[in-house]
Amino acid sequence: MESGVPICNICGEQVGLANNNGEVFVACHECNYPVCKTCIDYEIKEGRNTCLRCATPYDENEQESTNHAIVASHPDTAQDAGVHARTVSFVSTVDSEYHDDTGNPIWKNRVESWKEKKNKKKKNQSKAVVQEAAEVPPEQQMEEKPQLADAAEPLSRIIPVPKSQITPYRIVIIVRLIVLCFFFHYRVTHPVESAYPLWFTSVFCEIWFAFSWVLDQFPKWSPINRETYLDRLSARYEREGEPCQLAPVDFFVSTVDPMKEPPLITANTVLSILAVDYPVEKVSCYVSDDGGSMLTFESLAETSEFARKWVPFCKKFSIEPRAPEFYFTQKFDYLKDKVQPSFVKERRAMKREYEEYKVRVNALVAKAQKTPEDGWTMADGTPWPGNNPRDHPGMIQVFLGHSGVHDIEGNELPRLVYVSREKRPGYQHHKKAGAENALIRVSAVLTNAPYILNLDCDHYVNNSKAIREAMCFLMDPQVGRDVCYVQFPQRFDGIDKSDRYANRNIVFFDVNMKGLDGIQGPVYVGTGTVFNRQALYGYSPSNLPTIHKSSSSFSCCCRRKKPAKEKDLTEVYREAKREDLNSAIFNLREIENYDDHERSLLISQMSFEKTFGMSSVFIESTLMENGGVPDSANPSTLIREAIHVIGCGYEEKTAWGKEVKIESLFWFHIWKEGANTFLFVCPFQIGWIYGSVTEDILTGFKMQCRGWRSIYCMPLRPAFKGSAPINLSDRLHQVLRWALGSVEIFLSRHCPLWYGFGGGRLKWLQRLAYTNTIVYPFTSLPLIAYCILPAVCLLTGKFIIPTLSNVASILFLGLFLSIIVTSVLELRWSGIGIEDWWRNEQFWVIGGVSAHLFAVFQGFLKMLAGIDTNFTVTTKAADDGEFADLYLFKWTTVLIPPTTILIVNLVGVVAGFSDALNKGYEAWGPLFGKVFFSFWVILHLYPFLKGLMGRQNRTPTIVVLWSVLLASVFSLVWVKINPFVSKDDPSAMVQNCIDMDC
C-alpha cells in the first residue's frame, strides 16, 4: 500500500470509504483482504460470494461490527515496512546479535528510519486521497461502476480439448493399458525354451518400455489450451488519462564467450527487447557477460547507439519481429498492411543504418581475434578489468535508462545494463545458474521489477506483445496468485524443412506441455519464461493448501523425537532460541492478513542475512511484493551496492542456489500424537538451483513442490524464436547434455521419486511427468538391447516369440492397433502433423542408442569415481550453401553405438536371407517376422545414416572401422559361445559333435 487507503486487488483502484461511518471499506473482516465495494457487488452477481483469500462468506462479514474497519484504516507499521502477504517458507530461531557501537541493534535503527520516511509520505497521501474521494460527485461515481465491472472480467480463459477428441483418447489409453496386462501375462507364461536368455532379455525390455510409456502418457490425461484477452488487460491497467499500472519486467540475457555466441546475435536479442510493445519505463534489460569480454561490452555500446534509431522505427510502423537481422532477411511482402507513404523510404534508410551497424560490430569481432600482449585497454587508456576471465572484479555499466540518452525522436528508452559478476580463483561460480542469480540481485537493487523474463542470447522476441500475453496470467487476481512462472514454447529459425533430427521438438512443446498445463503447469525449459520474483526468492504462494494433521505440508524429512515430557538439551536450546525472537523487528503478529499459524513465526535480521546475504538494500527489496526500489535506498550508492551483491563471496553461507542445512533456517512444524512428537523440517533455496547441468528443470520442480503452479502460453504468433544445432554431432551433444543433467538429478536427493512427498503439494500426475524427465536416459540400455535382438535372431535362427496361437495373435494385433490409435488421436487433439510425430519417433531411437547411453555412463562415472568425462567434437568436413551446417560432419565417440547397430542389423538381414535360401520354403515364413523386426530398427536409424554419410554420401573411415570392428567381435563371440541356444536342443548337440569330429 502506498497510501492510507488500500488498493483493490481486483481492479487496482482505491478501496474507498464505507458508507456508514466514513472509514475505509473492508470486504472481509477475517483477513482484511482489500477489495472495493464495486468489485464485491460484481463478484456476488457472478455467483462468487466468498472472500478470494480466506473463502469466508461475504454475508457473515456484513454482520460484523465496524471495529475491523477502524483497525484496517490504520495499517500497522510492519505492513507499512513492506512485509507482503506471501507466506514465508522459513523462520529463524537465531537471535539478532548485530549492534552498533552504542549497543543499539543496527537492523532496528535502519528499519525504524525507513518506517518514519514512509509514514510521513503516507499521511500526506492519505489526506489527499480522502479529499479527492469526497470531491467526486455521486453521478460520476455511478458512471464509473460499469467501467470497473468490465475491467474486472478475467484476462484469460481455459479452452479444454473437445470431449469428442479427449474422451476417445482416454478410452484408448485405458484399453491399451488392459491389453498390455494381457500381453505381458502371455509373454511371461509362454517362454521360448530353445532360446531362454533371448526371450528373457526381450521381456525385460518390453516391461521397461511399458513403464516408460505410462510415465509419458498419463500426464497427458487432461490437456488444455488457453486464450488471453489483451484488450481487457489494457482496459484494466492502461486507462486513458491515468498512469499506467502494468507491472515492470526485468529481462535477463546471458552470454559467456563472444567467439562461440556471436555479439551480433546477442545484440539482436537485446534490440528486440528494447523495442518490445510495453511501456518503456516498465522495461529493463540486463545482459550478463560471464566471460568479462571487452568485445561484448563494446558491442553493447554500439547496440545502445543503434537502438536510438531502431526502437522508434519499430514502434512507429509496428514492425514484427523487432530483431533487425531476422526482420530484414525474412522473405515476405513488407508493404503489406503498411499504408504510411513514408514507410518505404524509412525502411530503406533503416536497412542502410543496420548494415553500417553490422560493419562496426563485425570490425570489433575481427579486432578481438588477436589479444594484445598487454591486454585490452578501454577508450580512456585504462586496462580492461576483465582481461583475465577467471580473475576480475565485478563490472556494471548502465548504457540506457530513464534519465539517460533518448531516442532520435526525444522519447525515453528502456534501461540497458551490462553486468559481469566478479570472478576469483578458488570460488565456485556455478556457471549459468550462478550468473542468473547474480542478475536477480543486481536487478533487485537497481530496478526490482516484480517479474523477470530470462532469455538465452540466441533467442529474440518474435512477438512484441509477448509480455502482455504473460501479464494476462500474472496480473489476473484470480489466476496469478499462485503462478510462479509463465512458460512459452520454444520455436526455432534456420532448421531444414524436413527437420531431420527433430530439432523443433514439436511433440514435446505441443503435446506434453499442453498436458502438463492441465495438471500443475509445464516444466521450466530454461528460456522464454516470465517469473514471479517472489517465487524465485523461496517464498510460498499465498493460497497454500490446508495443513493436514496427519501430514505436514512443510515436511521434507521426518525424524522421531523423544516424548514431549522428556525434553532433551536440544529441545531446551531450541525453546531458548525461540524466546530470543521476541525482540525481532519483523514480528508477524502485527500483520492482520496472516493466520494464527503464520503469526507464530518470526523473522529476525540474521535469518534474512543468512538467507539473502549481507545487503540491506537487497533485503528490503525482497519484502516488496509489487516491486520498486525501497525509499530508504540512496540513488547515489545503488551502483556500489549492485557491485557488492555480485561479488564472488556474496553467496557464501546463504541459501542462494542450494538448500540450507543450518538448523536455524528450517521451518519447523511439530505434530503431537499421544506421547510421541514428530518434528518435520523443510529446507529451502533461493534462485536457480546449483549442482546440475539442467538447472532449469530442477528449479521449476522445487517451486512446484512449494505449492506454486505454472502456466503454458501459446500465442498465435510465437513469442520467442532462437537457433538450434542442426547437424548430427552437435544435436547429439545437445541431447547428451540434457540427458546428463537428468541423470545427475536422478542420482541426487532431489529425485522426484522420493523428494517432497510430505506436503502433498505436487500432484501425482505432475510427479509422474517429472519422474519421466529424469529416468528417460536409462531407457537407452533396454533400447540398445532391443535394437540388437533382430540381428541376433537372424544370426541364430531363433526368435523371441514362440509359435503364435489364435489368442496370442489377437493380443499382438490389439496391442499394435492400440499403439496406432493412441498416436492418431494424440495428433488429432494436439494439431501436430504426422511428419513431426514420425521425426520424433526416429530421433527417440537415435538419441536413445547414442547420447542417452553416454549420459548414463558419464553420470555414474561422475558419481562413483568423481570423473567428469568430456566427449570431444572435431569438425571433419564442411559445405557451403543453404543449411550448410546440416551436412557438417564432426567426429565424436557418440556416433559409434548407432553405427554398430546399423551394421549388425544389415549383416543379420544378409545372413537371414542366406539361411532361408539354404533351408528352402519352410524357412521363409519365420524369416518374415525377423526381417520386419530388423527393418524397424534400420528405418528408425535412417536419418542417422543420412547424417553419417553427409552430402557426398561418404562415411568417414574411422567410423566404419570402429563399427566393423565391434560388429566382427560381436559375431565371433557369438559363434564361439552360441549363448542363445538351449543345451538340450538336439540340433545343437549334433552340431557340437560335428565341431569336435566325434
Side-chain angles (χ1 to χ4, degrees):
M1 303 179 189
E2 296 295 337
S3 64
V5 180
I7 301 297
C8 176
N9 279 1
I10 294 181
C11 65
E13 295 292 328
Q14 298 283 346
V15 170
L17 305 177
N19 297 327
N20 51 0
N21 54 11
E23 299 293 341
V24 175
F25 174 76
V26 179
C28 178
H29 298 303
E30 293 294 328
C31 66
N32 292 333
Y33 190 61
V35 182
C36 65
K37 186 66 167 61
T38 303
C39 293
I40 289 295
D41 295 339
Y42 180 80
E43 291 290 315
I44 295 177
K45 181 180 178 180
E46 293 293 322
R48 298 184 290 269
N49 58 352
T50 58
C51 177
L52 300 177
R53 181 176 181 82
C54 65
T56 303
Y58 287 129
D59 296 337
E60 298 180 3
N61 299 332
E62 299 296 333
Q63 301 176 2
E64 296 289 337
S65 62
T66 59
N67 295 333
H68 294 282
I70 298 176
V71 173
S73 64
H74 299 83
D76 59 82
T77 56
Q79 192 167 356
D80 288 343
V83 181
H84 46 76
R86 294 286 186 198
T87 303
V88 182
S89 61
F90 59 91
V91 65
S92 172
T93 55
V94 178
D95 51 342
S96 299
E97 298 176 354
Y98 293 130
H99 298 81
D100 56 15
D101 296 337
T102 61
N104 298 321
I106 299 175
W107 183 262
K108 183 175 182 179
N109 295 338
R110 183 167 62 231
V111 175
E112 288 297 335
S113 61
W114 180 26
K115 291 179 183 178
E116 292 177 1
K117 293 180 181 179
K118 300 199 75 173
N119 287 336
K120 292 179 181 179
K121 181 179 179 181
K122 290 184 178 183
K123 288 180 180 178
N124 297 331
Q125 292 180 349
S126 178
K127 293 178 181 179
V129 170
V130 174
Q131 292 176 0
E132 182 179 355
E135 293 175 358
V136 177
E139 296 81 3
Q140 185 175 351
Q141 295 181 2
M142 294 296 294
E143 293 176 358
E144 292 179 354
K145 287 185 179 181
Q147 298 178 1
L148 294 178
D150 294 338
E153 293 182 353
L155 303 179
S156 64
R157 72 184 181 102
I158 295 176
I159 305 177
V161 177
K163 291 184 178 180
S164 60
Q165 296 179 2
I166 196 63
T167 301
Y169 179 67
R170 293 173 176 172
I171 293 175
V172 172
I173 290 177
I174 299 300
V175 170
R176 181 174 171 179
L177 190 62
I178 296 173
V179 172
L180 273 175
C181 294
F182 285 104
F183 171 79
F184 284 121
H185 178 267
Y186 170 80
R187 293 285 282 132
V188 173
T189 56
H190 292 77
V192 181
E193 300 294 342
S194 60
Y196 192 86
L198 192 66
W199 164 84
F200 179 81
T201 303
S202 64
V203 171
F204 175 81
C205 295
E206 290 164 0
I207 293 175
W208 179 268
F209 294 150
F211 170 72
S212 300
W213 173 77
V214 170
L215 292 181
D216 182 69
Q217 194 70 55
F218 276 87
K220 307 173 189 175
W221 186 261
S222 302
I224 61 173
N225 298 296
R226 295 183 185 270
E227 182 180 5
T228 57
Y229 302 106
L230 300 182
D231 53 344
R232 296 181 183 178
L233 179 74
S234 298
R236 180 179 299 185
Y237 296 109
E238 292 183 293
R239 297 176 182 172
E240 187 176 357
E242 299 181 6
C244 178
Q245 300 297 324
L246 288 174
V249 180
D250 288 338
F251 289 76
F252 292 174
V253 179
S254 301
T255 182
V256 180
D257 188 352
M259 296 303 168
K260 296 181 180 179
E261 301 164 338
L264 192 61
I265 299 298
T266 304
N268 272 269
T269 301
V270 172
L271 289 170
S272 67
I273 293 173
L274 297 178
V276 73
D277 184 7
Y278 208 71
V280 293
E281 69 275 7
K282 307 287 186 178
V283 176
S284 300
C285 179
Y286 293 84
V287 180
S288 171
D289 178 18
D290 218 30
S293 172
M294 187 174 175
L295 173 58
T296 304
F297 179 85
E298 290 184 338
S299 64
L300 278 184
E302 291 287 348
T303 302
S304 63
E305 184 63 26
F306 178 72
R308 297 179 60 244
K309 306 171 185 177
W310 174 252
V311 172
F313 171 76
C314 292
K315 294 187 176 182
K316 180 178 180 180
F317 298 107
S318 300
I319 297 300
E320 295 287 359
R322 299 190 177 180
E325 181 70 21
F326 301 95
Y327 170 71
F328 288 122
T329 56
Q330 61 184 350
K331 299 178 181 179
F332 75 110
D333 183 10
Y334 64 86
L335 294 177
K336 185 179 180 180
D337 300 330
K338 298 294 186 299
V339 296
Q340 296 90 337
S342 61
F343 171 68
V344 175
K345 182 178 178 180
E346 293 193 30
R347 184 184 186 276
R348 291 173 180 171
M350 183 54 61
K351 189 172 183 179
R352 287 194 301 269
E353 292 284 350
Y354 178 64
E355 294 296 332
E356 294 175 1
Y357 162 74
K358 286 176 62 176
V359 170
R360 294 193 297 269
V361 173
N362 290 332
L364 294 175
V365 175
K367 179 182 176 182
Q369 297 296 325
K370 185 177 181 181
T371 305
E373 295 182 359
D374 298 333
W376 299 105
T377 57
M378 294 184 289
D380 58 357
T382 57
W384 171 247
N387 278 320
N388 187 347
R390 298 182 180 179
D391 187 4
H392 64 81
M395 296 177 284
I396 295 178
Q397 175 66 46
V398 180
F399 288 106
L400 300 173
H402 309 317
S403 59
V405 180
H406 291 184
D407 62 24
I408 57 176
E409 297 182 358
N411 300 319
E412 292 184 354
L413 288 169
R415 188 187 301 264
L416 175 61
V417 184
Y418 169 87
V419 178
S420 182
R421 57 182 175 144
E422 183 183 14
K423 294 285 188 70
R424 300 298 182 193
Y427 286 91
Q428 178 61 261
H429 298 103
H430 304 290
K431 299 180 180 179
K432 180 182 177 180
E436 295 286 352
N437 286 338
L439 287 181
I440 293 178
R441 299 191 294 271
V442 169
S443 62
V445 171
L446 297 181
T447 53
N448 195 34
Y451 301 108
I452 295 171
L453 191 152
N454 79 301
L455 286 174
D456 290 342
C457 63
D458 59 348
H459 278 67
Y460 63 91
V461 181
N462 184 65
N463 184 349
S464 62
K465 298 183 182 295
I467 311 306
R468 296 177 180 271
E469 298 275 355
M471 291 301 112
C472 287
F473 303 107
L474 294 170
M475 296 189 69
D476 192 330
Q478 300 293 334
V479 179
R481 290 178 296 168
D482 61 345
V483 175
C484 56
Y485 60 84
V486 175
Q487 178 66 60
F488 291 90
Q490 292 186 22
R491 301 296 188 228
F492 302 97
D493 289 320
I495 298 177
D496 56 299
K497 295 181 180 179
S498 63
D499 193 12
R500 180 186 293 179
Y501 306 121
N503 292 91
R504 293 189 177 94
N505 288 326
I506 294 295
V507 174
F508 174 76
F509 286 112
D510 289 24
V511 179
N512 297 59
M513 297 287 265
K514 284 183 180 180
L516 292 179
D517 199 17
I519 310 173
Q520 200 171 343
V523 299
Y524 169 42
V525 297
T527 184
T529 314
V530 184
F531 282 98
N532 184 335
R533 186 184 285 268
Q534 296 295 313
L536 287 172
Y537 286 156
Y539 294 117
S540 298
S542 56
N543 53 347
L544 284 177
T546 305
I547 303 175
H548 300 286
K549 188 174 182 180
S550 61
S551 177
S552 169
S553 63
F554 312 107
S555 63
C556 292
C557 57
C558 173
R559 61 176 181 268
R560 190 74 171 266
K561 294 179 57 181
K562 295 181 179 180
K565 296 182 180 180
E566 301 178 3
K567 296 182 179 179
D568 54 10
L569 295 178
T570 305
E571 183 62 22
V572 174
Y573 176 78
R574 289 173 182 160
E575 290 184 355
K577 289 292 184 181
R578 296 189 187 102
E579 293 176 358
D580 291 340
L581 284 175
N582 292 330
S583 59
I585 300 301
F586 292 94
N587 191 336
L588 300 186
R589 293 181 184 275
E590 300 174 356
I591 301 177
E592 299 176 354
N593 289 341
Y594 282 72
D595 56 25
D596 293 338
H597 175 72
E598 294 167 337
R599 290 174 186 171
S600 65
L601 304 176
L602 307 174
I603 303 175
S604 68
Q605 173 193 1
M606 289 188 66
S607 70
F608 272 115
E609 293 181 343
K610 286 189 175 182
T611 302
F612 297 110
M614 303 290 290
S615 173
S616 59
V617 176
F618 175 70
I619 291 175
E620 289 181 17
S621 70
T622 63
L623 300 176
M624 306 178 69
E625 183 180 5
N626 296 323
V629 179
D631 294 338
S632 60
N634 187 354
S636 61
T637 61
L638 286 183
I639 294 295
R640 184 186 307 169
E641 192 70 21
I643 292 290
H644 169 60
V645 298
I646 61 174
C648 57
Y650 184 85
E651 296 182 355
E652 288 190 346
K653 299 181 179 180
T654 65
W656 283 102
K658 55 183 178 296
E659 292 188 351
V660 181
K661 296 182 180 180
I662 304 174
E663 184 180 344
S664 61
L665 295 183
F666 287 162
W667 187 344
F668 295 95
H669 178 69
I670 300 177
W671 165 45
K672 296 182 179 180
E673 183 179 18
N676 299 323
T677 302
F678 298 88
L679 177 65
F680 298 91
V681 183
C682 180
F684 67 98
Q685 82 295 318
I686 301 173
W688 273 260
I689 310 302
Y690 299 152
S692 174
V693 178
T694 53
E695 73 284 339
D696 45 7
I697 292 179
L698 189 56
T699 300
F701 170 67
K702 298 295 289 292
M703 289 182 181
Q704 293 186 346
C705 282
R706 290 199 300 269
W708 293 95
R709 69 155 301 153
S710 55
I711 296 291
Y712 196 50
C713 182
M714 295 183 65
L716 294 178
R717 179 179 179 85
F720 310 99
K721 280 191 174 182
S723 59
I726 63 174
N727 69 75
L728 178 60
S729 303
D730 289 342
R731 173 65 167 147
L732 289 178
H733 271 264
Q734 181 188 54
V735 175
L736 170 61
R737 186 173 65 253
W738 295 342
L740 178 59
S742 297
V743 174
E744 290 177 348
I745 296 175
F746 176 82
L747 299 176
S748 71
R749 58 195 176 97
H750 301 115
C751 179
L753 288 173
W754 51 74
Y755 182 86
F757 271 97
R761 300 182 189 176
L762 197 67
K763 297 182 179 181
W764 70 273
L765 284 179
Q766 193 80 8
R767 187 176 296 278
L768 278 183
Y770 274 111
T771 303
N772 186 44
T773 61
I774 56 101
V775 302
Y776 76 89
F778 297 95
T779 306
S780 60
L781 301 176
L783 183 60
I784 287 179
Y786 213 70
C787 288
I788 294 178
L789 283 179
V792 175
C793 293
L794 289 168
L795 292 173
T796 60
K798 305 299 179 181
F799 201 41
I800 59 176
I801 301 172
T803 303
L804 294 179
S805 61
N806 293 333
V807 176
S809 301
I810 294 175
L811 284 177
F812 277 91
L813 182 61
L815 180 61
F816 184 72
L817 291 177
S818 65
I819 293 174
I820 294 178
V821 174
T822 303
S823 302
V824 171
L825 293 177
E826 198 168 89
L827 296 178
R828 186 184 175 194
W829 66 254
S830 64
I832 66 175
I834 183 66
E835 185 178 5
D836 293 319
W837 174 84
W838 175 238
R839 288 286 182 254
N840 181 79
E841 291 295 313
Q842 286 180 314
F843 196 79
W844 176 75
V845 176
I846 295 172
V849 300
S850 57
H852 298 172
L853 175 67
F854 279 81
V856 174
F857 174 73
Q858 186 175 355
F860 277 99
L861 273 182
K862 187 175 181 180
M863 180 193 70
L864 299 176
I867 300 175
D868 193 2
T869 307
N870 293 320
F871 300 99
T872 58
V873 180
T874 56
T875 304
K876 294 299 178 184
D879 297 311
D880 297 327
E882 189 178 9
F883 306 119
D885 286 345
L886 179 64
Y887 308 101
L888 185 68
F889 184 83
K890 300 179 180 181
W891 159 246
T892 171
T893 51
V894 179
L895 302 175
I896 295 178
T899 307
T900 305
I901 292 175
L902 270 173
I903 293 178
V904 169
N905 277 275
L906 291 174
V907 171
V909 170
V910 175
F913 276 102
S914 301
D915 185 64
L917 289 173
N918 293 329
K919 291 184 178 179
Y921 176 78
E922 298 176 353
W924 286 97
L927 178 65
F928 175 77
K930 302 173 187 177
V931 172
F932 175 81
F933 195 12
S934 187
F935 270 113
W936 177 90
V937 176
I938 297 173
L939 191 62
H940 277 77
L941 293 177
Y942 178 68
F944 174 83
L945 182 61
K946 291 179 65 177
L948 202 64
M949 293 183 174
R951 176 172 288 176
Q952 293 84 8
N953 293 331
R954 294 180 57 191
T955 303
T957 306
I958 188 172
V959 176
V960 176
L961 289 177
W962 273 103
S963 302
V964 170
L965 177 63
L966 290 178
S968 302
V969 170
F970 173 79
S971 302
L972 291 174
V973 170
W974 175 83
V975 170
K976 181 65 177 177
I977 64 176
N978 205 6
F980 298 112
V981 178
S982 175
K983 301 304 181 183
D984 299 331
D985 191 354
S987 61
M989 296 176 64
V990 173
Q991 182 66 32
N992 291 334
C993 289
I994 294 175
D995 294 340
M996 294 185 298
D997 296 330
C998 57

